[in-house]
Amino acid sequence: MTLEAHRSGYDEATYARLAQDTAAIIARYPQKRSALLPMLHLVQSEDGYVSRDGIAFCAEQLGITAAEVSAVATFYTQYKRHPNGTYTVGVCTNTLCAVMGGDEIFDELSEHLGVGHDETTEDGAITLERVECNAACDYAPVVMVNWEFFDNQTPAGATRLADRLRAGEQVAPTRGAASVCSFKQMSRVLAGFSDGRADEGVGAGEPTLAGLRLAREHDWTAPGGAAPDQVDEPATGREPESAAVAGETTAAGASAVGHEQSSAERTPTTPADATGATPDAAKGKQP
């Protein structure tokens, strides 16, 4: 295909490389257009944001309109519509992180870097963001750098982190990969292409595992679910205590905690449970 034959402005070598990656992405899905989300990450890994060329490329490859691609690209906040920094520094300011100091961290970083939400420093190193929950409430307040976790942050610690990033130093996340890659590199990972670092660093930390440890110690199980001893956890050197010693039990000896969960796991006990009918209908009455 000649440069004039396709709608995007990519040169021939770039177009061919992206098209090859796109074929691999499309092959994952039964419907071709379902590949749009990872494809947007792919073009973002090329340009550092979802550019006009990226939108035209996605539309052409999937046989949809540029308007349809733009509708998706403008809906999700991980897709950037203007050039992003080498590092996206996201500060969680949702409820728990805010209570623990997230707003103070964001304000300190904003003043220190001279940028506001979704703005990039003059050197192109950092794009600062307010993030609506990083799903790490047990480590609040949390800052993420290109979606790698930096837990239990303080305003001073966050500014030191930003300074190290701008100086080009390697920084190690609290959990996950052993180092932070660039925004473009992370976008390629989000497109579904492994960088071989999935098993680096620390996985689940102590606060995350506290509930699992309690379940083992008290012999709590969920109906229809896996017993706690069927879930892998890093060795702690402690044996779980029996329910008779560590937890309250019923007369039958089963744990008094963790009985009925969702209705899908509960054994039907009435005609309405078994048939899905309303109580009145089960009695032969009209609702």
Side-chain angles (χ1 to χ4, degrees):
M1 180 180 291
T2 65
L3 188 61
E4 292 74 24
H6 58 72
R7 289 178 284 169
S8 77
Y10 293 123
D11 60 56
E12 288 297 305
T14 302
Y15 185 93
R17 175 165 44 78
L18 290 175
Q20 182 178 6
D21 287 339
T22 294
I25 293 173
I26 290 174
R28 304 172 192 158
Y29 299 93
Q31 295 187 22
K32 189 175 184 179
R33 67 182 296 149
S34 298
L36 178 56
L37 293 179
M39 281 182 62
L40 286 169
H41 285 298
L42 177 67
V43 297
Q44 191 160 254
S45 75
E46 183 66 33
D47 298 323
Y49 70 111
V50 178
S51 64
R52 290 173 62 91
D53 289 338
I55 289 174
F57 175 83
C58 290
E60 181 185 66
Q61 291 291 308
L62 298 177
I64 58 180
T65 66
E68 289 174 302
V69 177
S70 294
V72 175
T74 55
F75 185 84
Y76 296 103
T77 58
Q78 278 192 323
Y79 301 129
K80 309 302 180 183
R81 294 309 315 277
H82 51 80
N84 201 77
T86 303
Y87 303 102
T88 295
V89 174
V91 182
C92 182
T93 56
N94 214 322
T95 308
L96 186 55
C97 279
V99 169
M100 299 296 287
D103 288 318
E104 185 180 357
I105 291 172
F106 181 88
D107 291 344
E108 183 74 15
L109 278 174
S110 179
E111 182 177 352
H112 183 70
L113 297 174
V115 294
H117 169 69
D118 199 30
E119 294 179 352
T120 303
T121 55
E122 290 185 1
D123 58 5
I126 292 177
T127 297
L128 181 64
E129 285 188 344
R130 288 185 180 270
V131 178
E132 287 297 318
C133 189
N134 283 322
C137 301
D138 41 355
Y139 295 96
V142 174
V143 171
M144 297 194 87
V145 179
N146 291 344
W147 301 289
E148 299 289 359
F149 289 105
F150 289 81
D151 302 324
N152 304 122
Q153 288 294 298
T154 64
T159 54
R160 284 195 299 271
L161 172 63
D163 287 343
R164 292 185 64 192
L165 291 170
R166 298 182 79 179
E169 297 180 24
Q170 285 288 329
V171 296
T174 312
R175 294 171 288 128
S179 61
V180 172
C181 64
S182 71
F183 177 79
K184 288 185 177 181
Q185 290 169 322
M186 181 54 69
S187 294
R188 182 168 175 81
V189 172
L190 292 172
F193 297 95
S194 174
D195 61 358
R197 306 194 311 147
D199 296 324
E200 287 183 1
V202 177
E206 287 299 314
T208 304
L209 295 171
L212 175 60
R213 185 169 298 111
L214 283 171
R216 286 182 170 176
E217 291 175 352
H218 291 267
D219 195 27
W220 295 335
T221 59
D229 60 3
Q230 293 176 301
V231 183
D232 290 335
E233 177 195 4
T236 63
R238 294 190 294 171
E239 291 297 325
E241 299 176 85
S242 68
V245 175
E248 181 183 354
T249 60
T250 64
S255 172
V257 182
H259 276 285
E260 291 182 1
Q261 300 294 321
S262 73
S263 58
E265 297 170 340
R266 182 164 56 84
T267 302
T269 57
T270 69
D273 287 335
T275 65
T278 63
D280 286 339
K283 296 176 184 177
K285 300 178 182 179
Q286 294 298 320

